[in-house]
Amino acid sequence: MNGLIKQLAHDQAIWWGTLFSIGIIVVSLVFLLVVYRSLPPLIPLYNQLPWGVDRLSPRIGLFLPTLLGLGIIIGNSTLIVFFAERMQITARMLTLTTILISTLILVFIFRTVLLIL
């Protein structure tokens, strides 16, 4: 883990992009923890499914996108370390992809919670 952090810190754009992505995920987790008690027991989380009970998830299901985003950050960071020396542009594109995914997760959580409350 320490070697991964040292490799990511080698390039400043990649380092700050990764920290920004982690910060966005932390903001979404803090937001969820603040509003968790005021949420109803079932939330419409799976909006692509047909109308009805299939769309609903327990309120703990809102943590699923943030955990998925955290997994994507870890996976992309591992790929970034692999590509950083060989293909610099690919590593930076993966960093931008990580930022975009974490931002979209934050927007999804905000929109879902604000629709409910």
Side-chain angles (χ1 to χ4, degrees):
M1 183 71 169
N2 197 12
L4 177 71
I5 294 172
K6 285 183 182 178
Q7 288 289 336
L8 287 175
H10 192 297
D11 185 3
Q12 290 296 316
I14 293 172
W15 174 250
W16 288 110
T18 305
L19 285 180
F20 186 69
S21 298
I22 292 171
I24 291 173
I25 293 295
V26 167
V27 166
S28 66
L29 280 173
V30 168
F31 177 72
L32 279 176
L33 290 174
V34 167
V35 299
Y36 186 76
R37 294 266 186 219
S38 63
L39 294 174
L42 294 173
I43 296 172
L45 188 63
Y46 308 108
N47 293 328
Q48 297 299 321
L49 294 177
W51 190 262
V53 181
D54 294 336
R55 295 178 76 174
L56 300 177
S57 168
R59 63 182 173 185
I60 195 81
L62 268 178
F63 289 99
L64 184 65
T66 56
L67 292 176
L68 181 67
L70 192 59
I72 289 172
I73 289 172
I74 292 170
N76 278 356
S77 296
T78 306
L79 287 173
I80 287 168
V81 168
F82 178 72
F83 287 127
E85 292 181 12
R86 294 174 190 87
M87 295 178 271
Q88 188 74 25
I89 189 74
T90 305
R92 289 187 177 189
M93 288 172 60
L94 277 171
T95 304
L96 288 176
T97 303
T98 306
I99 292 171
L100 178 66
I101 289 172
S102 60
T103 304
L104 290 175
I105 288 171
L106 180 68
V107 169
F108 172 75
I109 289 172
F110 276 168
R111 295 284 308 249
T112 302
V113 169
L114 292 178
L115 270 172
I116 294 168
L117 297 178

